Structures are given as structure tokens and as C-alpha cells.
Amino acid sequence: GEFDLVKTSDGLYVFSSDYTKLRCSEYPPITDYLDGIVKGDKEQVAKYISECLAVKEKYPKEGVNNV
């Protein structure tokens, strides 16, 4: 429900309906993306994007079809 608490990967408790905090706690470090860009490593950039999309799928916006 709207008031269920969920423990994030960094040990914080947030409401399950607060997808932004849940997502932020599980996104990969932005430095992974930037490192891939600087090195021109398309596989590393694609991996970062894939990991971000997996987090968005795990914690969708309620009532919204697009993540």
C-alpha cells in the first residue's frame, strides 16, 4: 500500500510509493557512465543504461505506463 515502508540498499526506510528514493538508492554510480563516455566504451555505456532501466522497471511510477 501507499504507506508500506521499504528498506533501501543503503539502509534507509522510505514509503514504497516513493519510487524516486527507491530508484536513487539502487542506480549504478554516474561515474560508471561518465567513465564509459570518456573512454569511448560503448559496452560500458550500454551496461549502465541497462542497469538504470532495470531499476526503473523494479520501482515503476504507480499509475503510469511509461518508466
Side-chain angles (χ1 to χ4, degrees):
E2 184 177 339
F3 298 106
D4 294 337
L5 288 176
V6 176
K7 187 174 183 179
T8 64
S9 60
D10 56 1
L12 299 174
Y13 286 91
V14 298
F15 291 112
S16 61
S17 61
D18 193 352
Y19 69 91
T20 55
K21 288 182 182 175
L22 293 168
R23 285 181 179 182
C24 287
S25 73
E26 292 200 28
Y27 279 136
I30 189 70
T31 53
D32 292 354
Y33 176 77
L34 295 174
D35 185 53
I37 294 293
V38 170
K39 295 188 305 188
D41 187 339
K42 292 180 183 179
E43 288 181 21
Q44 183 174 347
V45 171
K47 180 179 181 271
Y48 177 86
I49 292 170
S50 176
E51 290 173 354
C52 287
L53 291 174
V55 171
K56 286 177 174 274
E57 187 174 316
K58 183 176 179 181
Y59 301 113
K61 294 179 184 177
E62 291 194 33
V64 177
N65 292 333
N66 298 336
V67 292

